[in-house]
Amino acid sequence: MSHCFLSPAPECSRDHNEWRRFLIYLQGRDMVAIAKFKFWEFYILPPDQTSNFTNIRVAYKMEKTRNASNGRGHGESGRSCQVVRPTATKANINDSPTLPVNIVKETVSRGNACIQARVSDTSEDNFSPVLKFSPVVGDRLSSESTIETCSRPEPRAVKQAGPLEKNFVRADPSYLQTLGQAHSGWIFGAIAELVDNSRDAKATKLEISIESIYFKKAGKDIPMLSIIDDGHGMTHQDVVRMTYFGHKQPDADDPNRIGRFGVGFKTGAMRLGKDALVLTQTADSRSIAFLSQSLNQGKDNLEIPIVSYYRKGQFMELDTVVQSEATAKYNLKSIKEFSPFNKYLIGEKAGLFQDKCTGTQIYIWNLDQWGSNYCLEWDNGLNGGSSFHQGDILIRSRRIRSRPGQISQKVPLDYSLRSYLEVIFLVPRMKIYVQGSLVRSRPLAKSLNKTCVETGIIMGKSAHLTLGRCQLEWEQMNCGIFLYWHGRLIEAYKRVGGMIHNGDTGRGVIGVIDVSDLMDEGNGLVWVHNNKQGFLDCEPYARLEEWLGKVADEYWDNKFDSLNVVKDGALYKPDQEWVQCNKCRKWRMLDPGFDTKSLPVEWFCYMKPFEGLCDLPEQKVDAGVVTVSAKRTGYDSRENSLPFEGIATIKVEDMSSDSIGLSRMAEDSSPLKRIRRGLPRACKKV
């Protein structure tokens, strides 16, 4: 059996460390690493106790004679391998006694390492094989492990016109501005991208706020937007992937995941401001990433500093496996120079994670401007436990987004972040705080009265639409369909059918539908814009619009106008009130007469009026029953007040010959005349 020696030639400290760990593993267990393929076997022998790991002895032998007509064989893994005996003379070998070898192995603890080494030939036949060891499958190395090997011929055997040249794309720093234009039409779309990332990270709590902080480079206090969640955080590899400009879309569709395109963080952060810092922590690591237009100003290529640490006991130590110490120091210096974050502020923010908690913090400054001010304005609200006068982040322009057929001039969702986050998720579970106060999520499908569920088949896929009426939307002259994709709101107040051509048609009617199945092709292709604020012009969407219009018109014509209240004593505001438990995140229906203003900021199932257990299932509204009350959140009780107070549960039935119409009842009863005057016209026929 012939022998040769491996000498380490690492390109970085990580290669050097992984080489030593590999050999220490063999030495401590007195094992031999075996590399096999059809004709050859290589044995990496364990170093002795006095070895300094610089020259490691390797034995190799040929098991079978190679077929001269076909020098290829198949290794045990099924891959094609080839062994080549170089044609160089002995003099040539003496002139160049070493050949490069790449050995890739799976480490014992974390990551993969690439170790460069030189092979010195000591065999009698002057054969110096060129080896490439593939990753070992599994998490342990043993004497029975099989390492795939593959050799390659000398390049001199093939004549080439020149080396292969590849054209790699260079990212100019100005591209960051271009990315921000993805949300140029609506800045809340940028915030939604960051909210999506927190939801994908399985966060249970998300805090969004704008506060002032002193920036030494600017010499003054500046506003800084912070988005902090308690999700599972990101490893170094995750952070690097986050800074990529897009990534391969997943082949399998995950209904619980929103992110797909790999551009959300970049487009969102760069729309909100010029500079963003990410501080993220997992159970075993912590990373800092800096995406900055200020840092890259005047540079030819985009630079994104990243510094990573790993947990060592109760402390975080610099991770020299993924970066050199010099690189980490350089990146930290850049972050401190071009951001408000010095080592004390970074330590303060890292302290928010506490002990071994995980999560991600995003800080954005140099916010986008509106003239001499900022595009966003913020209000901290009033102190105290009241659920009203809470803080909010608003779009300064107060512009209402344009929708075909819309006549309303009051759409809070378009300029109030709190209003938008109330309905951003179809099934809200995550607690969201804006300017320090909890956002009371509003599950739309549960907030309507006289609901009905319409089911249809569109291009072979099932669609389920919930339609109902909302008194608050009637008063604000709003209507339309809320379209969700993977549980996240994509389009709001989309008018369909007769709503487009007549401002009063469908007034107060709201529809809720999740179109994930219809808009996902199943092969990684989705019919959703990259900014997640609309759908592509495609056949599934066109068929969906057609079906929605037909169903909404039928609901308005056949159900809404033909319904009649047959029990007297009914009061106005026939909407259900719901509240979400801060512990189990389930929704509970409030009693009709309960004053929602008395609810505490944090409400739990054991409190009034539910007074139950979190284990109880969520409630459902019985078909055909509307609960009405004079006390409603968001309404001024002094407006349209009735001469009497109380509550009533009424049954809504179809119009028939023996039913009593509301107009007829009003003629015979003076109290009901006052009800009629107090009710909007559309409320006469629910």
Side-chain angles (χ1 to χ4, degrees):
M1 183 179 291
S2 302
H3 293 81
C4 63
F5 287 91
L6 291 180
S7 298
E11 293 183 348
C12 61
S13 59
R14 182 192 180 194
D15 292 353
H16 179 75
N17 293 337
E18 293 300 319
W19 173 251
R20 287 183 59 87
R21 291 175 61 188
F22 172 59
L23 297 179
I24 290 174
Y25 188 92
L26 297 181
Q27 184 186 68
R29 291 161 177 77
D30 196 23
M31 293 181 177
V32 176
I34 304 175
K36 294 182 178 180
F37 57 89
K38 195 165 187 178
F39 303 112
W40 294 89
E41 283 189 355
F42 294 86
Y43 303 87
I44 302 177
L45 306 178
D48 55 37
Q49 296 297 330
T50 60
S51 173
N52 58 1
F53 306 128
T54 56
N55 291 294
I56 303 304
R57 196 176 188 190
V58 178
Y60 62 93
K61 68 176 182 178
M62 178 181 290
E63 288 185 334
K64 299 179 180 179
T65 304
R66 184 183 57 173
N67 190 336
S69 61
N70 184 2
R72 293 187 178 272
H74 295 283
E76 294 181 6
S77 65
R79 293 188 180 183
S80 177
C81 299
Q82 184 177 10
V83 180
V84 177
R85 187 181 299 274
T87 58
T89 62
K90 186 170 183 177
N92 291 334
I93 294 177
N94 291 333
D95 294 337
S96 178
T98 61
L99 294 173
V101 175
N102 290 331
I103 300 180
V104 183
K105 73 177 186 64
E106 184 170 319
T107 63
V108 177
S109 60
R110 64 179 185 276
N112 290 335
C114 181
I115 305 172
Q116 300 289 335
R118 289 191 295 268
V119 179
S120 298
D121 182 30
T122 60
S123 62
E124 297 178 356
D125 57 358
N126 297 322
F127 173 50
S128 297
V130 181
L131 308 178
K132 183 175 181 181
F133 296 93
S134 301
V136 179
V137 179
D139 57 359
R140 295 186 302 272
L141 294 175
S142 68
S143 59
E144 297 179 356
S145 298
T146 300
I147 307 176
E148 288 186 329
T149 67
C150 184
S151 62
R152 56 192 177 212
E154 287 290 323
R156 74 186 71 177
V158 179
K159 294 183 179 180
Q160 297 182 353
L164 179 64
E165 295 183 1
K166 296 182 179 180
N167 182 32
F168 293 97
V169 175
R170 180 177 64 88
D172 191 273
S174 62
Y175 188 55
L176 294 180
Q177 278 184 297
T178 304
L179 287 173
Q181 294 177 4
H183 300 283
S184 58
W186 195 48
I187 197 170
F188 281 170
I191 296 180
E193 294 281 12
L194 306 181
V195 175
D196 292 343
N197 291 344
S198 296
R199 181 178 180 264
D200 287 345
K202 310 301 181 184
T204 61
K205 181 180 179 182
L206 174 66
E207 298 178 81
I208 304 174
S209 63
I210 299 179
E211 57 185 9
S212 295
I213 189 170
Y214 181 76
F215 189 13
K216 183 177 180 181
K217 194 176 184 67
K220 61 179 181 180
D221 287 341
I222 61 171
M224 183 170 67
L225 172 68
S226 63
I227 300 176
I228 303 173
D229 69 51
D230 63 350
H232 52 54
M234 292 181 285
T235 63
H236 173 81
Q237 290 76 14
D238 293 332
V239 173
V240 171
R241 188 171 183 264
M242 181 189 69
T243 59
Y244 288 168
F245 292 98
H247 55 67
K248 180 183 177 181
Q249 296 187 20
D251 296 330
D253 180 42
D254 185 355
N256 298 317
R257 183 173 181 82
I258 304 173
R260 295 184 63 90
F261 306 106
V263 295
F265 166 71
K266 278 80 66 178
T267 59
M270 293 298 98
R271 172 64 176 95
L272 294 164
K274 293 183 178 179
D275 306 282
L277 184 135
V278 180
L279 179 61
T280 183
Q281 178 169 304
T282 67
D284 301 316
S285 67
R286 178 185 298 161
S287 295
I288 305 173
F290 187 33
L291 185 66
S292 170
Q293 296 183 36
S294 301
L295 169 67
N296 289 282
Q297 189 172 7
K299 294 185 177 181
D300 295 330
N301 205 3
L302 187 62
E303 177 185 349
I304 305 178
I306 300 175
V307 183
S308 293
Y309 304 83
Y310 74 96
R311 182 175 294 281
K312 186 177 182 181
Q314 296 181 347
F315 302 97
M316 289 288 183
E317 300 288 345
L318 193 66
D319 193 346
T320 55
V321 173
V322 298
Q323 75 212 324
S324 66
E325 186 174 350
T327 300
K329 288 182 177 179
Y330 171 80
N331 290 340
L332 275 176
K333 181 181 178 182
S334 300
I335 293 173
K336 295 174 183 177
E337 180 180 356
F338 289 93
S339 78
F341 289 84
N342 52 33
K343 62 179 181 180
Y344 303 105
L345 184 56
I346 292 176
E348 177 186 334
K349 298 303 183 183
L352 297 177
F353 291 124
Q354 303 174 353
D355 300 331
K356 294 186 178 181
C357 293
T358 63
T360 299
Q361 305 174 27
I362 299 176
Y363 299 96
I364 303 173
W365 61 98
N366 283 331
L367 300 180
D368 197 30
Q369 292 189 312
W370 174 270
S372 59
N373 217 318
Y374 297 99
C375 288
L376 297 176
E377 59 178 276
W378 48 97
D379 179 14
N380 292 329
L382 302 178
N383 295 327
S386 173
S387 59
F388 289 86
H389 306 292
Q390 295 178 328
D392 200 357
I393 297 176
L394 305 167
I395 298 178
R396 186 173 298 276
S397 66
R398 302 292 203 283
R399 182 181 293 115
I400 303 300
R401 302 178 74 184
S402 176
R403 300 176 180 90
Q406 179 172 288
I407 61 175
S408 172
Q409 295 299 314
K410 189 175 183 181
V411 189
L413 178 149
D414 286 347
Y415 53 81
S416 166
L417 182 61
R418 180 174 292 275
S419 297
Y420 175 50
L421 295 179
E422 284 179 355
V423 296
I424 189 172
F425 295 124
L426 182 63
V427 183
R429 299 296 183 190
M430 182 170 59
K431 295 181 183 178
I432 303 179
Y433 294 80
V434 173
Q435 294 300 106
S437 57
L438 179 66
V439 174
R440 292 194 178 279
S441 299
R442 183 160 57 102
L444 281 178
K446 295 178 179 290
S447 303
L448 307 173
N449 71 79
K450 191 48 188 177
T451 58
C452 71
V453 178
E454 297 288 344
T455 301
I457 303 298
I458 304 174
M459 299 186 65
K461 297 181 178 180
S462 179
H464 303 276
L465 170 67
T466 301
L467 279 170
R469 182 183 179 280
C470 178
Q471 175 66 20
L472 182 59
E473 300 293 1
W474 189 95
E475 293 181 355
Q476 295 178 347
M477 296 188 295
N478 289 324
C479 66
I481 311 298
F482 283 67
L483 291 93
Y484 290 82
W485 176 76
H486 284 218
R488 206 271 246 170
L489 181 62
I490 303 297
E491 288 191 32
Y493 299 112
K494 178 177 179 59
R495 288 177 172 252
V496 294
M499 301 177 186
I500 299 176
H501 310 291
N502 189 327
D504 286 331
T505 300
R507 180 175 174 179
V509 174
I510 296 296
V512 181
I513 184 173
D514 190 293
V515 296
S516 300
D517 186 46
L518 184 61
M519 292 300 154
D520 292 356
E521 286 293 293
N523 56 357
L525 176 64
V526 295
W527 300 110
V528 181
H529 286 303
N530 289 351
N531 62 8
K532 302 186 188 76
Q533 294 301 316
F535 297 96
L536 299 177
D537 185 15
C538 58
E539 184 179 3
Y541 189 60
R543 301 299 183 194
L544 174 65
E545 283 184 314
E546 182 181 356
W547 180 76
L548 290 175
K550 177 177 178 293
V551 172
D553 287 346
E554 289 178 354
Y555 176 82
W556 178 259
D557 294 336
N558 302 329
K559 296 185 178 181
F560 191 89
D561 282 344
S562 65
L563 297 177
N564 185 44
V565 178
V566 297
K567 184 175 180 179
D568 58 358
L571 304 185
Y572 69 113
K573 313 300 184 192
D575 296 349
Q576 282 81 27
E577 283 279 18
W578 297 76
V579 65
Q580 188 178 33
C581 175
N582 279 33
K583 180 181 179 182
C584 67
R585 308 305 291 166
K586 294 178 181 177
W587 290 90
R588 309 301 186 186
M589 184 189 296
L590 299 177
D591 293 336
F594 189 82
D595 186 1
T596 56
K597 295 182 180 180
S598 64
L599 285 173
V601 176
E602 293 191 355
W603 185 89
F604 300 92
C605 289
Y606 66 83
M607 295 181 176
K608 293 183 178 180
F610 185 71
E611 296 181 324
L613 300 176
C614 290
D615 294 337
L616 296 176
E618 290 182 327
Q619 297 156 284
K620 295 182 179 180
V621 181
D622 294 333
V625 175
V626 177
T627 304
V628 292
S629 172
K631 299 176 180 179
R632 295 285 288 122
T633 301
Y635 300 98
D636 189 346
S637 59
R638 294 171 297 180
E639 296 180 3
N640 297 328
S641 59
L642 297 177
F644 56 93
E645 295 184 358
I647 60 175
T649 301
I650 61 177
K651 183 171 180 60
V652 181
E653 299 177 350
D654 291 336
M655 182 78 75
S656 61
S657 59
D658 58 348
S659 63
I660 303 175
L662 183 60
S663 58
R664 179 179 173 184
M665 293 168 60
E667 295 174 358
D668 300 333
S669 173
S670 56
L672 286 178
K673 289 181 181 179
R674 283 176 288 185
I675 294 176
R676 185 183 182 187
R677 287 196 296 269
L679 281 168
R681 180 177 179 274
C683 282
K684 298 173 188 176
K685 301 176 182 179
V686 181

